PDB file of all heavy atoms in Angstrom:
ATOM      1  N   ARG F 253       5.840 -10.921  21.792  1.00 94.00           N
ATOM      2  CA  ARG F 253       5.977 -12.195  22.536  1.00 94.00           C
ATOM      3  C   ARG F 253       7.129 -12.991  21.866  1.00 94.00           C
ATOM      4  O   ARG F 253       7.302 -13.166  20.768  1.00 94.00           O
ATOM      5  CB  ARG F 253       4.692 -13.082  22.300  1.00 94.00           C
ATOM      6  CG  ARG F 253       3.629 -12.631  23.285  1.00 94.00           C
ATOM      7  CD  ARG F 253       2.355 -13.618  23.086  1.00 94.00           C
ATOM      8  NE  ARG F 253       1.310 -13.251  24.151  1.00 94.00           N
ATOM      9  CZ  ARG F 253       0.512 -12.228  24.029  1.00 94.00           C
ATOM     10  NH1 ARG F 253       0.609 -11.371  22.944  1.00 94.00           N
ATOM     11  NH2 ARG F 253      -0.357 -12.038  25.004  1.00 94.00           N
ATOM     12  N   ASN F 278       5.851 -16.853  25.925  1.00 91.00           N
ATOM     13  CA  ASN F 278       4.825 -17.846  25.749  1.00 91.00           C
ATOM     14  C   ASN F 278       5.350 -19.146  25.327  1.00 91.00           C
ATOM     15  O   ASN F 278       6.373 -19.248  24.567  1.00 91.00           O
ATOM     16  CB  ASN F 278       3.812 -17.315  24.751  1.00 91.00           C
ATOM     17  CG  ASN F 278       2.545 -18.224  24.601  1.00 91.00           C
ATOM     18  OD1 ASN F 278       2.431 -19.284  24.083  1.00 91.00           O
ATOM     19  ND2 ASN F 278       1.418 -17.574  25.248  1.00 91.00           N
ATOM     20  N   ASP F 280       3.738 -21.556  23.512  1.00 87.00           N
ATOM     21  CA  ASP F 280       3.309 -22.131  22.255  1.00 87.00           C
ATOM     22  C   ASP F 280       3.830 -21.442  21.005  1.00 87.00           C
ATOM     23  O   ASP F 280       3.357 -20.582  20.344  1.00 87.00           O
ATOM     24  CB  ASP F 280       1.729 -21.761  22.210  1.00 87.00           C
ATOM     25  CG  ASP F 280       0.975 -22.643  21.143  1.00 87.00           C
ATOM     26  OD1 ASP F 280       1.603 -23.210  20.344  1.00 87.00           O
ATOM     27  OD2 ASP F 280      -0.320 -22.474  21.184  1.00 87.00           O
ATOM     28  N   VAL F 282       4.844 -22.793  17.812  1.00 85.00           N
ATOM     29  CA  VAL F 282       4.396 -23.046  16.458  1.00 85.00           C
ATOM     30  C   VAL F 282       3.190 -22.250  16.147  1.00 85.00           C
ATOM     31  O   VAL F 282       3.008 -21.609  15.085  1.00 85.00           O
ATOM     32  CB  VAL F 282       4.316 -24.562  16.120  1.00 85.00           C
ATOM     33  CG1 VAL F 282       3.814 -24.822  14.771  1.00 85.00           C
ATOM     34  CG2 VAL F 282       5.598 -25.145  16.432  1.00 85.00           C
ATOM     35  N   THR F 283       2.197 -22.285  17.059  1.00 84.00           N
ATOM     36  CA  THR F 283       0.863 -21.620  16.836  1.00 84.00           C
ATOM     37  C   THR F 283       0.997 -20.121  16.644  1.00 84.00           C
ATOM     38  O   THR F 283       0.498 -19.609  15.647  1.00 84.00           O
ATOM     39  CB  THR F 283      -0.127 -21.954  17.889  1.00 84.00           C
ATOM     40  OG1 THR F 283      -0.101 -23.317  18.192  1.00 84.00           O
ATOM     41  CG2 THR F 283      -1.464 -21.596  17.445  1.00 84.00           C
ATOM     42  N   HIS F 284       1.779 -19.558  17.427  1.00 87.00           N
ATOM     43  CA  HIS F 284       2.086 -18.127  17.267  1.00 87.00           C
ATOM     44  C   HIS F 284       2.685 -17.752  16.000  1.00 87.00           C
ATOM     45  O   HIS F 284       2.428 -16.824  15.341  1.00 87.00           O
ATOM     46  CB  HIS F 284       2.795 -17.552  18.521  1.00 87.00           C
ATOM     47  CG  HIS F 284       1.955 -17.249  19.665  1.00 87.00           C
ATOM     48  ND1 HIS F 284       1.611 -18.292  20.587  1.00 87.00           N
ATOM     49  CD2 HIS F 284       1.355 -16.076  20.198  1.00 87.00           C
ATOM     50  CE1 HIS F 284       0.827 -17.787  21.614  1.00 87.00           C
ATOM     51  NE2 HIS F 284       0.682 -16.421  21.258  1.00 87.00           N
ATOM     52  N   GLU F 285       3.639 -18.667  15.648  1.00 90.00           N
ATOM     53  CA  GLU F 285       4.494 -18.479  14.355  1.00 90.00           C
ATOM     54  C   GLU F 285       3.566 -18.547  13.184  1.00 90.00           C
ATOM     55  O   GLU F 285       3.686 -17.755  12.268  1.00 90.00           O
ATOM     56  CB  GLU F 285       5.590 -19.487  14.434  1.00 90.00           C
ATOM     57  CG  GLU F 285       6.726 -19.211  13.421  1.00 90.00           C
ATOM     58  CD  GLU F 285       7.732 -20.244  13.495  1.00 90.00           C
ATOM     59  OE1 GLU F 285       7.477 -21.293  14.141  1.00 90.00           O
ATOM     60  OE2 GLU F 285       8.795 -19.959  12.782  1.00 90.00           O
ATOM     61  N   VAL F 286       2.714 -19.492  13.171  1.00 88.00           N
ATOM     62  CA  VAL F 286       1.779 -19.711  12.119  1.00 88.00           C
ATOM     63  C   VAL F 286       0.809 -18.592  12.014  1.00 88.00           C
ATOM     64  O   VAL F 286       0.533 -17.975  10.858  1.00 88.00           O
ATOM     65  CB  VAL F 286       0.905 -20.988  12.201  1.00 88.00           C
ATOM     66  CG1 VAL F 286      -0.214 -21.120  11.279  1.00 88.00           C
ATOM     67  CG2 VAL F 286       1.891 -22.206  12.071  1.00 88.00           C
ATOM     68  N   MET F 287       0.382 -18.062  13.093  1.00 87.00           N
ATOM     69  CA  MET F 287      -0.556 -16.871  13.146  1.00 87.00           C
ATOM     70  C   MET F 287       0.127 -15.639  12.501  1.00 87.00           C
ATOM     71  O   MET F 287      -0.491 -14.769  11.845  1.00 87.00           O
ATOM     72  CB  MET F 287      -1.052 -16.702  14.458  1.00 87.00           C
ATOM     73  CG  MET F 287      -1.989 -17.679  15.023  1.00 87.00           C
ATOM     74  SD  MET F 287      -3.417 -18.106  14.014  1.00 87.00           S
ATOM     75  CE  MET F 287      -2.892 -19.678  13.337  1.00 87.00           C
ATOM     76  N   THR F 327      -7.879 -20.758  12.816  1.00 85.00           N
ATOM     77  CA  THR F 327      -7.229 -21.041  14.118  1.00 85.00           C
ATOM     78  C   THR F 327      -7.874 -22.255  14.818  1.00 85.00           C
ATOM     79  O   THR F 327      -7.209 -22.936  15.598  1.00 85.00           O
ATOM     80  CB  THR F 327      -7.267 -19.863  15.036  1.00 85.00           C
ATOM     81  OG1 THR F 327      -8.632 -19.485  15.275  1.00 85.00           O
ATOM     82  CG2 THR F 327      -6.453 -18.692  14.427  1.00 85.00           C
ATOM     83  N   HIS F 328      -9.195 -22.473  14.606  1.00 83.00           N
ATOM     84  CA  HIS F 328      -9.846 -23.634  15.178  1.00 83.00           C
ATOM     85  C   HIS F 328      -9.301 -24.979  14.641  1.00 83.00           C
ATOM     86  O   HIS F 328      -9.348 -25.905  15.261  1.00 83.00           O
ATOM     87  CB  HIS F 328     -11.343 -23.566  15.051  1.00 83.00           C
ATOM     88  CG  HIS F 328     -12.019 -22.673  16.202  1.00 83.00           C
ATOM     89  ND1 HIS F 328     -11.901 -21.348  16.153  1.00 83.00           N
ATOM     90  CD2 HIS F 328     -12.663 -23.045  17.238  1.00 83.00           C
ATOM     91  CE1 HIS F 328     -12.576 -20.883  17.188  1.00 83.00           C
ATOM     92  NE2 HIS F 328     -13.029 -21.884  17.873  1.00 83.00           N
ATOM     93  N   LEU F 330      -6.113 -25.267  13.691  1.00 82.00           N
ATOM     94  CA  LEU F 330      -4.615 -25.301  14.073  1.00 82.00           C
ATOM     95  C   LEU F 330      -4.458 -25.360  15.537  1.00 82.00           C
ATOM     96  O   LEU F 330      -3.346 -25.886  15.871  1.00 82.00           O
ATOM     97  CB  LEU F 330      -4.018 -24.087  13.488  1.00 82.00           C
ATOM     98  CG  LEU F 330      -4.033 -23.858  11.996  1.00 82.00           C
ATOM     99  CD1 LEU F 330      -3.446 -22.540  11.610  1.00 82.00           C
ATOM    100  CD2 LEU F 330      -3.291 -25.056  11.260  1.00 82.00           C
ATOM    101  N   ALA F 331      -5.246 -24.818  16.338  1.00 78.00           N
ATOM    102  CA  ALA F 331      -5.048 -24.661  17.754  1.00 78.00           C
ATOM    103  C   ALA F 331      -6.099 -25.407  18.539  1.00 78.00           C
ATOM    104  O   ALA F 331      -7.289 -25.292  18.361  1.00 78.00           O
ATOM    105  CB  ALA F 331      -5.049 -23.223  18.135  1.00 78.00           C
ATOM    106  N   GLU F 332      -5.608 -26.053  19.633  1.00 76.00           N
ATOM    107  CA  GLU F 332      -6.387 -26.803  20.544  1.00 76.00           C
ATOM    108  C   GLU F 332      -7.341 -25.779  21.444  1.00 76.00           C
ATOM    109  O   GLU F 332      -8.425 -26.064  21.742  1.00 76.00           O
ATOM    110  CB  GLU F 332      -5.622 -27.686  21.452  1.00 76.00           C
ATOM    111  CG  GLU F 332      -6.561 -28.687  22.390  1.00 76.00           C
ATOM    112  CD  GLU F 332      -5.642 -29.674  23.006  1.00 76.00           C
ATOM    113  OE1 GLU F 332      -4.452 -29.480  23.118  1.00 76.00           O
ATOM    114  OE2 GLU F 332      -6.309 -30.598  23.582  1.00 76.00           O
ATOM    115  N   GLU F 333      -6.617 -24.673  21.728  1.00 75.00           N
ATOM    116  CA  GLU F 333      -7.295 -23.589  22.513  1.00 75.00           C
ATOM    117  C   GLU F 333      -7.184 -22.259  21.723  1.00 75.00           C
ATOM    118  O   GLU F 333      -6.493 -21.423  22.139  1.00 75.00           O
ATOM    119  CB  GLU F 333      -6.726 -23.532  23.898  1.00 75.00           C
ATOM    120  CG  GLU F 333      -6.819 -24.739  24.752  1.00 75.00           C
ATOM    121  CD  GLU F 333      -6.214 -24.653  26.222  1.00 75.00           C
ATOM    122  OE1 GLU F 333      -4.960 -24.438  26.162  1.00 75.00           O
ATOM    123  OE2 GLU F 333      -6.898 -24.678  27.105  1.00 75.00           O
ATOM    124  N   PRO F 334      -7.977 -22.168  20.717  1.00 73.00           N
ATOM    125  CA  PRO F 334      -7.744 -20.994  19.783  1.00 73.00           C
ATOM    126  C   PRO F 334      -8.100 -19.632  20.436  1.00 73.00           C
ATOM    127  O   PRO F 334      -7.624 -18.641  19.988  1.00 73.00           O
ATOM    128  CB  PRO F 334      -8.726 -21.344  18.675  1.00 73.00           C
ATOM    129  CG  PRO F 334      -9.748 -22.229  19.273  1.00 73.00           C
ATOM    130  CD  PRO F 334      -9.019 -23.050  20.250  1.00 73.00           C
ATOM    131  N   GLU F 335      -8.883 -19.709  21.433  1.00 70.00           N
ATOM    132  CA  GLU F 335      -9.353 -18.445  22.086  1.00 70.00           C
ATOM    133  C   GLU F 335      -8.179 -17.736  22.688  1.00 70.00           C
ATOM    134  O   GLU F 335      -8.176 -16.458  22.789  1.00 70.00           O
ATOM    135  CB  GLU F 335     -10.444 -18.709  23.169  1.00 70.00           C
ATOM    136  CG  GLU F 335     -11.694 -19.040  22.684  1.00 70.00           C
ATOM    137  CD  GLU F 335     -11.812 -20.518  22.146  1.00 70.00           C
ATOM    138  OE1 GLU F 335     -10.866 -21.261  22.445  1.00 70.00           O
ATOM    139  OE2 GLU F 335     -12.817 -20.860  21.582  1.00 70.00           O
ATOM    140  N   LYS F 336      -7.075 -18.435  23.111  1.00 69.00           N
ATOM    141  CA  LYS F 336      -5.883 -17.828  23.688  1.00 69.00           C
ATOM    142  C   LYS F 336      -5.258 -16.976  22.598  1.00 69.00           C
ATOM    143  O   LYS F 336      -4.460 -16.092  23.063  1.00 69.00           O
ATOM    144  CB  LYS F 336      -4.985 -18.859  24.136  1.00 69.00           C
ATOM    145  CG  LYS F 336      -5.556 -19.631  25.457  1.00 69.00           C
ATOM    146  CD  LYS F 336      -4.515 -20.575  26.058  1.00 69.00           C
ATOM    147  CE  LYS F 336      -5.067 -21.251  27.255  1.00 69.00           C
ATOM    148  NZ  LYS F 336      -4.108 -22.144  27.894  1.00 69.00           N
ATOM    149  N   LEU F 337      -5.528 -17.258  21.327  1.00 67.00           N
ATOM    150  CA  LEU F 337      -4.721 -16.548  20.388  1.00 67.00           C
ATOM    151  C   LEU F 337      -5.509 -15.243  19.797  1.00 67.00           C
ATOM    152  O   LEU F 337      -4.971 -14.430  19.118  1.00 67.00           O
ATOM    153  CB  LEU F 337      -4.507 -17.407  19.109  1.00 67.00           C
ATOM    154  CG  LEU F 337      -3.558 -18.580  19.209  1.00 67.00           C
ATOM    155  CD1 LEU F 337      -3.643 -19.538  18.166  1.00 67.00           C
ATOM    156  CD2 LEU F 337      -2.128 -17.968  19.432  1.00 67.00           C
ATOM    157  N   ALA F 338      -6.719 -15.108  20.270  1.00 68.00           N
ATOM    158  CA  ALA F 338      -7.536 -14.044  19.686  1.00 68.00           C
ATOM    159  C   ALA F 338      -6.999 -12.733  19.856  1.00 68.00           C
ATOM    160  O   ALA F 338      -6.974 -11.895  18.783  1.00 68.00           O
ATOM    161  CB  ALA F 338      -9.007 -14.189  20.282  1.00 68.00           C
ATOM    162  N   GLY F 339      -6.564 -12.353  21.020  1.00 69.00           N
ATOM    163  CA  GLY F 339      -6.058 -10.997  21.293  1.00 69.00           C
ATOM    164  C   GLY F 339      -4.777 -10.726  20.342  1.00 69.00           C
ATOM    165  O   GLY F 339      -4.718  -9.731  19.647  1.00 69.00           O
ATOM    166  N   PRO F 340      -3.740 -11.531  20.612  1.00 70.00           N
ATOM    167  CA  PRO F 340      -2.450 -11.287  19.887  1.00 70.00           C
ATOM    168  C   PRO F 340      -2.705 -11.382  18.376  1.00 70.00           C
ATOM    169  O   PRO F 340      -2.160 -10.583  17.590  1.00 70.00           O
ATOM    170  CB  PRO F 340      -1.597 -12.535  20.358  1.00 70.00           C
ATOM    171  CG  PRO F 340      -2.129 -12.898  21.739  1.00 70.00           C
ATOM    172  CD  PRO F 340      -3.578 -12.595  21.570  1.00 70.00           C
ATOM    173  N   LEU F 341      -3.510 -12.275  17.879  1.00 72.00           N
ATOM    174  CA  LEU F 341      -3.765 -12.424  16.452  1.00 72.00           C
ATOM    175  C   LEU F 341      -4.430 -11.102  15.916  1.00 72.00           C
ATOM    176  O   LEU F 341      -4.076 -10.581  14.867  1.00 72.00           O
ATOM    177  CB  LEU F 341      -4.599 -13.661  16.137  1.00 72.00           C
ATOM    178  CG  LEU F 341      -4.919 -13.943  14.692  1.00 72.00           C
ATOM    179  CD1 LEU F 341      -3.678 -13.964  13.845  1.00 72.00           C
ATOM    180  CD2 LEU F 341      -5.742 -15.166  14.497  1.00 72.00           C
ATOM    181  N   LEU F 342      -5.384 -10.718  16.543  1.00 79.00           N
ATOM    182  CA  LEU F 342      -6.191  -9.512  16.018  1.00 79.00           C
ATOM    183  C   LEU F 342      -5.356  -8.296  16.216  1.00 79.00           C
ATOM    184  O   LEU F 342      -5.409  -7.449  15.231  1.00 79.00           O
ATOM    185  CB  LEU F 342      -7.437  -9.365  16.892  1.00 79.00           C
ATOM    186  CG  LEU F 342      -8.590 -10.358  16.622  1.00 79.00           C
ATOM    187  CD1 LEU F 342      -9.810 -10.104  17.540  1.00 79.00           C
ATOM    188  CD2 LEU F 342      -9.046 -10.236  15.114  1.00 79.00           C
ATOM    189  N   ALA F 343      -4.509  -8.162  17.206  1.00 82.00           N
ATOM    190  CA  ALA F 343      -3.641  -6.991  17.248  1.00 82.00           C
ATOM    191  C   ALA F 343      -2.664  -6.935  16.189  1.00 82.00           C
ATOM    192  O   ALA F 343      -2.396  -5.970  15.519  1.00 82.00           O
ATOM    193  CB  ALA F 343      -2.923  -6.980  18.667  1.00 82.00           C
ATOM    194  N   ASP F 344      -2.001  -7.997  15.906  1.00 81.00           N
ATOM    195  CA  ASP F 344      -1.002  -8.184  14.848  1.00 81.00           C
ATOM    196  C   ASP F 344      -1.678  -7.895  13.505  1.00 81.00           C
ATOM    197  O   ASP F 344      -1.160  -7.258  12.637  1.00 81.00           O
ATOM    198  CB  ASP F 344      -0.333  -9.537  14.925  1.00 81.00           C
ATOM    199  CG  ASP F 344       1.035  -9.509  14.247  1.00 81.00           C
ATOM    200  OD1 ASP F 344       1.502  -8.562  13.718  1.00 81.00           O
ATOM    201  OD2 ASP F 344       1.662 -10.586  14.310  1.00 81.00           O
ATOM    202  N   LEU F 465       0.189 -29.114  12.625  1.00 78.00           N
ATOM    203  CA  LEU F 465       1.352 -28.466  13.168  1.00 78.00           C
ATOM    204  C   LEU F 465       2.389 -29.531  13.681  1.00 78.00           C
ATOM    205  O   LEU F 465       3.189 -29.235  14.504  1.00 78.00           O
ATOM    206  CB  LEU F 465       0.917 -27.561  14.279  1.00 78.00           C
ATOM    207  CG  LEU F 465      -0.009 -26.355  13.971  1.00 78.00           C
ATOM    208  CD1 LEU F 465      -0.196 -25.453  15.226  1.00 78.00           C
ATOM    209  CD2 LEU F 465       0.614 -25.585  12.771  1.00 78.00           C
TER     210      LEU F 465
END
Side-chain angles (χ1 to χ4, degrees):
R253 279 182 174 79
N278 191 284
D280 194 351
V282 178
T283 311
H284 279 82
E285 196 177 13
V286 170
M287 295 305 106
T327 60
H328 277 74
L330 300 175
E332 188 170 13
E333 297 179 301
E335 289 77 12
K336 291 183 178 181
L337 292 168
L341 177 59
L342 286 176
D344 206 354
L465 299 186

